Protein backbone atom coordinates (compact mmCIF):
# COMPACT_ATOMS: atom_id res chain seq x y z
CA UNK A 1 0.00 0.00 0.00
CA UNK A 2 1.28 3.47 -0.91
CA UNK A 3 1.97 5.75 1.99
CA UNK A 4 2.31 9.48 2.35
CA UNK A 5 5.65 10.80 1.12
CA UNK A 6 6.31 12.56 4.46
CA UNK A 7 8.42 10.13 6.48
CA UNK A 8 7.01 11.51 9.72
CA UNK A 9 3.45 10.56 8.78
CA UNK A 10 3.09 6.84 8.21
CA UNK A 11 -0.52 6.72 7.03
CA UNK A 12 -2.04 5.64 3.70
CA UNK A 13 -1.95 8.25 0.96
CA UNK A 14 -5.71 8.01 0.37
CA UNK A 15 -6.21 9.13 3.99
CA UNK A 16 -3.39 11.68 4.11
CA UNK A 17 -4.53 13.65 1.04
CA UNK A 18 -8.12 14.36 2.27
CA UNK A 19 -6.76 15.27 5.71
CA UNK A 20 -4.27 17.72 4.22
CA UNK A 21 -6.91 19.25 1.94
CA UNK A 22 -9.26 19.73 4.90
CA UNK A 23 -6.48 21.21 7.05
CA UNK A 24 -5.45 23.68 4.37
CA UNK A 25 -9.06 24.60 3.57
CA UNK A 26 -9.78 25.41 7.21
CA UNK A 27 -6.66 27.57 7.30
CA UNK A 28 -7.74 29.46 4.18
CA UNK A 29 -11.21 29.92 5.70
CA UNK A 30 -9.79 31.42 8.89
CA UNK A 31 -7.44 33.64 6.89
CA UNK A 32 -10.32 34.82 4.67
CA UNK A 33 -12.54 35.66 7.64
CA UNK A 34 -9.77 37.63 9.37
CA UNK A 35 -8.96 39.62 6.23
CA UNK A 36 -12.61 40.38 5.44
CA UNK A 37 -13.23 41.45 9.03
CA UNK A 38 -10.14 43.67 9.03
CA UNK A 39 -11.28 45.24 5.75
CA UNK A 40 -14.81 46.08 6.91
CA UNK A 41 -14.21 49.87 6.94
CA UNK A 42 -13.08 49.75 3.29
CA UNK A 43 -16.05 47.56 2.36
CA UNK A 44 -18.46 49.94 4.09
CA UNK A 45 -16.90 52.96 2.37
CA UNK A 46 -17.19 51.27 -1.03
CA UNK A 47 -20.87 50.44 -0.43
CA UNK A 48 -21.66 53.99 0.63
CA UNK A 49 -19.86 55.50 -2.37
CA UNK A 50 -22.13 53.48 -4.65
CA UNK A 51 -25.30 54.45 -2.78
CA UNK A 52 -27.66 57.41 -2.78
CA UNK A 53 -26.48 58.45 0.70
CA UNK A 54 -23.67 60.49 -0.83
CA UNK A 55 -23.84 63.02 -3.63
CA UNK A 56 -22.07 65.99 -5.12
CA UNK A 57 -18.37 66.58 -4.56
CA UNK A 58 -16.05 64.84 -2.10
CA UNK A 59 -18.12 61.64 -2.09
CA UNK A 60 -15.18 59.69 -0.67
CA UNK A 61 -14.92 62.04 2.32
CA UNK A 62 -18.68 61.82 2.83
CA UNK A 63 -18.50 58.03 2.79
CA UNK A 64 -15.67 58.00 5.33
CA UNK A 65 -17.62 60.27 7.69
CA UNK A 66 -20.74 58.10 7.40
CA UNK A 67 -18.70 54.95 7.97
CA UNK A 68 -17.27 56.18 11.26
CA UNK A 69 -20.12 58.45 12.41
CA UNK A 70 -20.89 56.14 15.36
CA UNK A 71 -17.26 55.61 16.34
CA UNK A 72 -14.11 53.99 14.99
CA UNK A 73 -15.43 50.50 15.70
CA UNK A 74 -18.85 51.03 14.12
CA UNK A 75 -17.99 49.24 10.82
CA UNK A 76 -17.20 46.08 12.79
CA UNK A 77 -20.45 46.07 14.76
CA UNK A 78 -22.42 44.93 11.71
CA UNK A 79 -20.43 41.69 11.57
CA UNK A 80 -22.57 38.95 13.08
CA UNK A 81 -22.30 35.17 13.32
CA UNK A 82 -23.89 34.74 9.88
CA UNK A 83 -21.22 36.93 8.26
CA UNK A 84 -18.44 35.04 10.04
CA UNK A 85 -19.86 31.71 8.85
CA UNK A 86 -20.37 33.00 5.30
CA UNK A 87 -16.81 34.34 5.02
CA UNK A 88 -15.27 31.21 6.52
CA UNK A 89 -17.13 28.83 4.23
CA UNK A 90 -16.67 31.00 1.15
CA UNK A 91 -12.90 30.95 1.47
CA UNK A 92 -12.56 27.41 2.81
CA UNK A 93 -14.80 26.00 0.07
CA UNK A 94 -12.76 27.90 -2.50
CA UNK A 95 -9.56 26.46 -1.06
CA UNK A 96 -10.96 22.94 -0.97
CA UNK A 97 -12.40 23.23 -4.48
CA UNK A 98 -9.06 24.33 -5.90
CA UNK A 99 -7.10 21.59 -4.16
CA UNK A 100 -9.57 18.88 -5.24
CA UNK A 101 -9.55 20.11 -8.84
CA UNK A 102 -5.78 20.60 -8.87
CA UNK A 103 -5.11 17.06 -7.58
CA UNK A 104 -7.72 15.51 -9.90
CA UNK A 105 -6.23 17.21 -12.97
CA UNK A 106 -2.71 16.35 -11.85
CA UNK A 107 -3.62 12.66 -11.52
CA UNK A 108 -5.51 12.66 -14.85
CA UNK A 109 -2.68 14.34 -16.77
CA UNK A 110 0.17 12.62 -14.96
CA UNK A 111 1.78 15.81 -13.64
CA UNK A 112 2.53 17.25 -10.22
CA UNK A 113 0.02 19.41 -8.34
CA UNK A 114 0.84 22.93 -7.20
CA UNK A 115 3.46 23.02 -4.45
CA UNK A 116 2.06 23.02 -0.91
CA UNK A 117 3.20 22.98 2.70
CA UNK A 118 6.76 21.86 3.36
CA UNK A 119 7.53 21.80 -0.37
CA UNK A 120 7.48 25.61 -0.28
CA UNK A 121 10.40 25.61 2.16
CA UNK A 122 12.62 23.55 -0.14
CA UNK A 123 15.31 25.35 -2.20
CA UNK A 124 14.20 26.75 -5.54
CA UNK A 125 17.13 24.93 -7.13
CA UNK A 126 15.37 21.62 -6.44
CA UNK A 127 12.35 22.77 -8.43
CA UNK A 128 14.54 24.03 -11.26
CA UNK A 129 16.44 20.72 -11.38
CA UNK A 130 13.19 18.76 -11.55
CA UNK A 131 11.84 21.04 -14.29
CA UNK A 132 14.97 20.68 -16.40
CA UNK A 133 14.47 16.93 -16.68
CA UNK A 134 10.97 16.93 -18.19
CA UNK A 135 9.99 16.92 -21.86
CA UNK A 136 7.81 19.35 -23.81
CA UNK A 137 4.74 17.13 -23.48
CA UNK A 138 4.95 17.19 -19.69
CA UNK A 139 5.42 20.97 -19.67
CA UNK A 140 2.36 21.42 -21.91
CA UNK A 141 0.20 19.21 -19.69
CA UNK A 142 1.45 20.94 -16.54
CA UNK A 143 0.68 24.37 -18.04
CA UNK A 144 -2.79 23.19 -19.07
CA UNK A 145 -3.44 21.93 -15.55
CA UNK A 146 -2.26 25.22 -14.03
CA UNK A 147 -4.57 27.20 -16.33
CA UNK A 148 -7.61 24.95 -15.94
CA UNK A 149 -7.57 24.41 -12.16
CA UNK A 150 -8.41 28.02 -11.15
CA UNK A 151 -11.11 28.27 -13.84
CA UNK A 152 -12.84 25.05 -12.80
CA UNK A 153 -12.52 25.76 -9.07
CA UNK A 154 -13.76 29.34 -9.45
CA UNK A 155 -16.70 28.24 -11.57
CA UNK A 156 -17.62 25.54 -9.07
CA UNK A 157 -17.58 27.95 -6.13
CA UNK A 158 -19.63 30.52 -8.07
CA UNK A 159 -22.19 27.88 -9.03
CA UNK A 160 -22.61 27.07 -5.34
CA UNK A 161 -22.52 30.55 -3.83
CA UNK A 162 -23.33 33.24 -6.43
CA UNK A 163 -27.13 33.12 -6.20
CA UNK A 164 -26.99 33.36 -2.40
CA UNK A 165 -24.57 36.31 -2.57
CA UNK A 166 -26.86 38.25 -4.91
CA UNK A 167 -29.86 37.46 -2.71
CA UNK A 168 -28.01 38.77 0.38
CA UNK A 169 -27.05 41.94 -1.49
CA UNK A 170 -30.55 42.84 -2.69
CA UNK A 171 -32.59 41.16 0.05
CA UNK A 172 -35.02 38.26 -0.51
CA UNK A 173 -37.99 40.40 -1.56
CA UNK A 174 -36.19 42.56 -4.12
CA UNK A 175 -34.23 39.57 -5.40
CA UNK A 176 -37.48 37.69 -6.01
CA UNK A 177 -38.76 40.66 -8.01
CA UNK A 178 -35.56 40.71 -10.08
CA UNK A 179 -35.87 37.00 -10.86
CA UNK A 180 -39.49 37.42 -11.87
CA UNK A 181 -38.61 40.31 -14.16
CA UNK A 182 -35.68 38.45 -15.76
CA UNK A 183 -37.81 35.32 -16.36
CA UNK A 184 -34.71 33.18 -16.85
CA UNK A 185 -34.56 29.42 -17.40
CA UNK A 186 -34.01 27.06 -14.46
CA UNK A 187 -30.22 26.68 -15.04
CA UNK A 188 -29.77 30.45 -15.28
CA UNK A 189 -31.86 30.99 -12.14
CA UNK A 190 -29.72 28.43 -10.32
CA UNK A 191 -26.49 30.25 -11.24
CA UNK A 192 -27.96 33.68 -10.48
CA UNK A 193 -27.35 37.16 -11.94
CA UNK A 194 -23.78 38.33 -12.53
CA UNK A 195 -22.50 34.75 -12.54
CA UNK A 196 -19.71 35.51 -15.01
CA UNK A 197 -18.53 38.50 -12.96
CA UNK A 198 -18.55 36.40 -9.81
CA UNK A 199 -16.66 33.60 -11.56
CA UNK A 200 -14.08 36.02 -12.92
CA UNK A 201 -13.46 37.33 -9.40
CA UNK A 202 -13.05 33.80 -8.08
CA UNK A 203 -10.71 32.77 -10.90
CA UNK A 204 -8.50 35.79 -10.19
CA UNK A 205 -8.56 34.97 -6.47
CA UNK A 206 -7.61 31.34 -7.17
CA UNK A 207 -4.72 32.36 -9.40
CA UNK A 208 -3.29 34.90 -6.96
CA UNK A 209 -3.83 32.86 -3.79
CA UNK A 210 -3.22 29.27 -4.85
CA UNK A 211 -0.94 29.55 -7.90
CA UNK A 212 1.05 32.77 -8.11
CA UNK A 213 1.69 33.25 -4.38
CA UNK A 214 3.09 29.77 -3.62
CA UNK A 215 5.12 29.68 -6.83
CA UNK A 216 6.57 33.14 -6.16
CA UNK A 217 7.41 32.17 -2.57
CA UNK A 218 8.98 28.88 -3.65
CA UNK A 219 11.03 30.27 -6.51
CA UNK A 220 11.96 33.82 -5.51
CA UNK A 221 11.76 34.23 -1.72
CA UNK A 222 15.28 34.20 -0.16
CA UNK A 223 16.02 30.64 0.96
CA UNK A 224 17.66 31.75 4.20
CA UNK A 225 14.46 33.58 5.21
CA UNK A 226 12.09 30.69 4.47
CA UNK A 227 10.50 29.38 7.66
CA UNK A 228 7.10 28.67 9.17
CA UNK A 229 6.70 32.33 10.21
CA UNK A 230 7.33 33.76 6.73
CA UNK A 231 5.26 30.98 5.17
Amino acid sequence: MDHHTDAEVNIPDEIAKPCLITYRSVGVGVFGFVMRWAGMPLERIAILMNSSQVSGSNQFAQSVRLTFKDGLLSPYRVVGPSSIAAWFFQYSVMGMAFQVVDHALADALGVRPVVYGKQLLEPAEDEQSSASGVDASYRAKSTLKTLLAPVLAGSLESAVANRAEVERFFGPQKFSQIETKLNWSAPARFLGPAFLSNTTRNVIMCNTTFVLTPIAYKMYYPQEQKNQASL
Side-chain angles (χ1 to χ4, degrees), residues 160-171:
V160 172
N162 179 63
R163 188 174 185 277
E165 287 188 28
V166 178
E167 185 176 25
R168 285 198 304 270
F169 180 81
F170 288 107

Side-chain angles (χ1 to χ4, degrees), residues 28 38 44 71 125 152-153 158 211 218 230:
V28 171
R44 183 63 180 165
E125 290 77 9
L152 294 177
S158 293
V211 179
K218 167 81 173 180
S230 64

Side-chain angles (χ1 to χ4, degrees), residues 60-79:
F60 177 75
Q62 295 178 47
S63 300
V64 172
R65 284 195 296 270
L66 287 171
T67 298
F68 297 105
K69 70 175 181 178
D70 296 321
L72 292 177
L73 297 179
S74 58
Y76 302 103
R77 297 193 185 107
V78 300
V79 179

